Amino acid sequence: MASDRSQKEPQHHSTLEEIRSTRLEKVEQLKKLGLNPYAYKWEITHHAAELQEKYAALADGEEVDIEVSIAGRILARRVFGKLAFFNLQDETGTIQLYLEKKKIDANMTDLSGAFNHLKKLTDAGDLLGAKGTIKRTEKGELSIYVSEYGILTKSLLPLPDKWHGLTDVEKRYRQRYVDLIVNPQVRETFRRRAQITAGIRRYLENRDFLEIETPVLQSEAGGAEARPFITYHNTLEMDLYLRIATELHLKRLVVGGFEKVFELGRIFRNEGVSTKHNPEFTMIEVYQAYGDYQDMMALTEDLIKTVAKEVIGEAKVTYGEEIIDLETSWRQETMHDLVKEKTGLDFNEFKTFEAAKTASVEAGIEIPDDCQSIGKLLNEAFEQKVEETLIQPTFVIDYPIEISPLAKPHRSKPGLVERFELFIVGRETANGFSELTDPIDQRQRLEAQAAAKAAGNLEAHNVDEDFLAALEYGMPPTVGLGIGIDRLIMLLTNSDSIRDVIAFPLLKSQSAAIKSFDYDSGNKILRVEFNNGSIYKYHEVPESVYKGLKETPSVGQYFNDRIRDKFGFDREV
RNA sequence: GGGUCGCUAACUCAAUGGUAGAGUAUCCGGCUUUUAACCGGCAAGUUCUGGGUUCGAAUCCCAGGCGACCCA
């Protein structure tokens, strides 16, 4: 019998494409057997972790005659002649399946050769349902002694290497689903992320804050200094901006009479990508009427402590080499004092900008061109010399007015505002201030921003007249807070890149990878086939461009520069 | 934006400028206590792309793509 097979064409089963086609054949074989390779349902009675916990004390070789049914993904197979062991993973963990020919064939009488089909037609990566009893093997592994199985979904693509797992960082982010399958700690990170955001909402709802959703698409970006994404509404024929903050709309709600509001949502900033920045990220903004920044610092501290305790179990966090103590009362220092402590410079003493600049240069502070006031210089000194040293939670308070256009002037310190920022592990984690409620003062500050925009500052914005109108109706004394949720989650999950806490971080798109192209000179249509199998037809493409593409040394580069996004197209495949 | 490093079989990695290899996975055969199962066998490559130098390039040079890290 073996000799018949050996005379067949040599089989090639190595590349992805070939593995996939082998598995597609298995799909067909399952269908022929009357088994649906893409099943509708499997009744689950238990999960892996639950069973592991419940039967932790079961002795080696012992069995428990309780029928259980579970489902999950096959992570590993160890197959013998008439016996097999599979490791099955569900959302909670893994458990071994003890698969014996005798037992399975005796129970699955409708399917002759049930055990052999299981051996031949399943692969690591398939989703499998199994019913059976509990048994700890003689080697000590808690198992389900399977009487019946169901192939629930046939997987067509192989899982990553079982030794090394998925180590390619890029692939982990680009194909997060694979990362999640093979790296349990990644699932734990996102589980914890969900617990953190749920905990924050619960905390605020318990204190009568109301979450109200505000627009993502805005005709004026505002509420922060950042470059916005611009998009276009076709039927209204207008440019729209994706929000860079929720601030100005939440304040409108406070004007409208809501005393405690918040929104936890996605913010978009058209800026670079780094371990600390993703162009879309999650922020919570909280506004409370009739309070000031001291009230909000108290709330911020209590909120973060409470959530950390709920999620981690204690208000102590290990982050890299550091142990962050969230429990003891958080330090509160003025920006002036901290700068003085680290640099020896007392910014209260400087009478002129020139004097401050000279002293700062001596202290080793680099001064950018647009830094033209004592306040901005103070902030530079803070960012360059202090920020990264603030490891344990620290509220920095009383910021220069120049860098805080929406904050209320300090009640006793001229030139400053009642603002705080929270720093943990050297990173800005939260920002809040007594809100500016004087509409005339606010107009002046926004007009200064608009002037900066007109002068070319891409992070400045036009005056939001409607927001000013709202302030003119009267906003109560109010304090506001913003927390960078991703950075908080990084802290509470001990992650050093923001990409580790965003399920699908933004990545540069991979190269066009053009397979082939041809040109219809009569209709001026350039037809391009990509390596991923898709085919696009570009219209009104001049023959010169086609010739250029034909002659260029780098097709992909030429395509990106001269064709992509330059011509209308439709997609053929 | 700048710098450093990387890109070789599906995966993880080798290969003095001189025949591109190994382990794992896949595929075939065997196997009733494995858990990185084991034993035997087959197959698997546009060395990221495009140029250049050379008798000869995975290796050296140039340009580009993508990524990681650091800096601003």
Side-chain angles (χ1 to χ4, degrees):
Chain A
M1 49 174 190
S3 59
D4 287 350
R5 286 204 186 88
S6 64
Q7 284 169 12
K8 279 173 42 178
E9 290 282 307
Q11 298 277 311
H12 304 268
H13 292 284
S14 182
T15 70
L16 259 188
E17 202 42 52
E18 285 156 350
I19 287 171
R20 188 167 171 275
S21 74
T22 308
R23 296 212 182 172
L24 279 170
E25 280 170 30
K26 292 180 181 175
V27 166
E28 290 310 310
Q29 289 178 46
L30 286 168
K31 286 180 180 168
K32 274 185 201 148
L33 289 167
L35 301 174
N36 187 347
Y38 303 103
Y40 288 91
K41 189 176 166 70
W42 187 263
E43 286 292 348
I44 292 172
T45 62
H46 293 78
H47 280 96
E50 180 190 357
L51 292 172
Q52 296 283 9
E53 194 179 330
K54 196 169 171 186
Y55 297 104
L58 192 66
D60 294 357
E62 290 285 304
E63 292 183 32
V64 182
D65 196 20
I66 288 174
E67 191 79 16
V68 298
S69 175
I70 68 162
R73 193 180 294 275
I74 302 170
L75 281 194
R77 307 164 76 240
R78 293 175 295 282
V79 180
F80 300 79
K82 298 188 178 71
L83 179 69
F85 300 92
F86 288 7
N87 290 353
L88 202 71
Q89 170 176 271
D90 64 18
E91 192 188 326
T92 66
T94 61
I95 192 163
Q96 178 169 270
L97 302 183
Y98 182 99
L99 302 148
E100 197 182 54
K101 180 171 164 60
K102 208 165 69 182
K103 180 161 177 178
I104 287 172
D105 286 351
N107 281 280
M108 295 178 69
T109 47
D110 290 349
L111 177 66
S112 83
F115 180 79
N116 282 335
H117 294 315
L118 180 71
K119 253 172 69 172
K120 291 286 174 196
L121 299 178
T122 62
D123 293 282
D126 291 351
L127 292 153
L128 193 77
K131 289 180 197 167
T133 52
I134 301 294
K135 171 190 173 97
R136 190 177 290 282
T137 64
E138 279 151 35
K139 294 284 161 65
E141 186 73 32
L142 188 72
S143 307
I144 294 173
Y145 189 8
V146 176
S147 53
E148 280 178 62
Y149 70 85
I151 295 171
L152 305 181
T153 300
K154 187 69 197 152
S155 163
L156 300 182
L157 296 172
L159 292 177
D161 189 280
K162 68 177 172 186
W163 291 8
H164 307 93
L166 186 63
T167 51
D168 183 328
V169 180
E170 183 192 355
K171 211 167 269 181
R172 284 190 47 222
Y173 298 141
R174 282 196 199 278
Q175 295 191 287
R176 181 70 88 180
Y177 38 90
V178 179
D179 190 26
L180 287 164
I181 290 169
V182 299
N183 292 325
Q185 74 282 9
V186 176
R187 288 202 298 280
E188 184 53 33
T189 296
F190 290 107
R191 189 173 292 124
R192 195 172 273 190
R193 179 173 181 128
Q195 289 165 353
I196 291 165
T197 53
I200 291 170
R201 286 195 162 103
R202 198 179 317 119
Y203 179 94
L204 291 170
E205 278 155 16
N206 286 342
R207 283 157 186 78
D208 300 321
F209 283 87
L210 215 56
E211 180 165 25
I212 299 184
E213 292 173 281
T214 65
V216 171
L217 294 175
Q218 307 183 341
S219 53
E220 283 297 340
E225 282 190 28
R227 291 186 67 173
F229 284 93
I230 304 172
T231 185
Y232 183 75
H233 190 289
N234 292 338
T235 54
L236 295 181
E237 297 183 334
M238 64 191 282
D239 280 335
L240 289 168
Y241 300 90
L242 270 56
R243 67 182 177 194
I244 56 172
T246 49
E247 173 147 3
L248 301 185
H249 284 89
L250 289 171
K251 282 182 178 173
R252 284 171 169 91
L253 293 168
V254 176
V255 170
F258 290 110
E259 295 177 11
K260 291 176 164 186
V261 291
F262 76 98
E263 181 174 11
L264 194 162
R266 204 69 59 83
I267 300 295
F268 306 85
R269 294 185 181 173
N270 205 338
E271 293 170 352
V273 171
S274 78
T275 49
K276 293 188 205 65
H277 299 88
N278 194 62
E280 55 175 306
F281 62 99
T282 302
M283 185 154 82
I284 186 172
E285 289 193 38
V286 182
Y287 291 85
Q288 178 175 350
Y290 308 114
D292 68 6
Y293 74 142
Q294 287 294 345
D295 296 321
M296 192 54 93
M297 275 187 271
L299 183 144
T300 304
E301 184 170 337
D302 190 48
L303 167 65
I304 293 176
K305 276 180 183 172
T306 303
V307 171
K309 276 185 208 159
E310 279 176 13
V311 173
I312 305 177
E314 59 172 352
K316 269 203 168 66
V317 188
T318 305
Y319 190 81
E321 306 285 298
E322 309 282 352
I323 291 177
I324 307 302
D325 177 10
L326 299 171
E327 183 56 57
T328 47
S329 199
W330 295 1
R331 190 179 171 207
Q332 189 181 120
E333 299 285 352
T334 66
M335 185 182 265
H336 280 78
D337 286 349
L338 286 168
V339 168
K340 191 174 171 185
E341 180 185 309
K342 293 293 171 197
T343 66
L345 300 176
D346 187 348
F347 273 76
N348 287 312
E349 302 281 298
F350 297 126
K351 300 285 184 258
T352 65
F353 174 67
E354 284 309 320
K357 190 174 174 179
T358 308
S360 298
V361 170
E362 275 174 29
I365 294 155
E366 286 176 36
I367 300 170
D369 293 342
D370 60 348
C371 187
Q372 293 295 341
S373 71
I374 294 181
K376 285 191 175 175
L377 203 52
L378 171 66
N379 187 53
E380 278 299 325
F382 173 76
E383 287 183 359
Q384 290 178 33
K385 300 294 179 186
V386 183
E387 254 190 45
E388 63 179 18
T389 69
L390 301 175
I391 305 300
Q392 298 297 328
T394 306
F395 285 115
V396 179
I397 61 169
D398 299 346
Y399 278 61
I401 196 165
E402 302 93 302
I403 59 167
S404 314
L406 299 161
K408 199 170 240 179
H410 198 284
R411 64 193 80 181
S412 60
K413 298 177 180 171
L416 302 184
V417 291
E418 297 200 349
R419 175 177 176 186
F420 69 87
E421 286 191 336
L422 171 65
F423 285 84
I424 308 179
V425 295
R427 279 201 295 260
E428 179 199 337
T429 304
N431 175 25
F433 36 85
S434 300
E435 301 295 339
L436 180 57
T437 50
D438 176 346
I440 306 303
D441 188 353
Q442 184 69 84
R443 171 173 294 282
Q444 285 170 358
R445 297 207 216 166
L446 292 183
E447 282 176 350
Q449 294 280 303
K453 177 179 177 166
N457 182 347
L458 295 168
E459 295 188 346
H461 306 287
N462 290 327
V463 175
D464 186 334
E465 288 292 344
D466 182 68
F467 169 65
L468 288 175
L471 285 192
E472 297 214 349
Y473 278 96
M475 183 164 84
T478 299
V479 60
L481 164 71
I483 302 176
I485 294 293
D486 308 279
R487 290 182 184 180
L488 181 64
I489 292 166
M490 285 167 70
L491 174 72
L492 297 181
T493 59
N494 194 10
S495 304
D496 34 271
S497 170
I498 196 169
R499 292 174 179 181
D500 291 329
V501 301
I502 292 177
F504 302 100
L506 185 73
L507 300 170
K508 210 164 172 176
S509 64
Q510 282 179 307
S511 61
I514 292 167
K515 194 172 178 185
S516 66
F517 55 89
D518 53 60
Y519 185 66
D520 174 349
S521 55
N523 294 312
K524 294 190 174 179
I525 290 175
L526 179 71
R527 190 169 165 280
V528 181
E529 181 176 0
F530 295 91
N531 280 337
N532 64 13
S534 55
I535 297 173
Y536 286 76
K537 279 158 112 173
Y538 291 84
H539 305 292
E540 296 300 320
V541 178
E543 188 149 6
S544 61
V545 171
Y546 165 64
K547 282 189 175 154
L549 186 62
K550 220 165 60 168
E551 285 156 18
T552 181
S554 172
V555 173
Q557 192 192 348
Y558 189 90
F559 174 80
N560 284 332
D561 292 347
R562 306 285 301 276
I563 299 169
R564 168 178 277 174
D565 301 331
K566 302 282 193 292
F567 299 100
F569 63 88
D570 30 63
R571 192 173 172 165
E572 189 177 298
V573 180

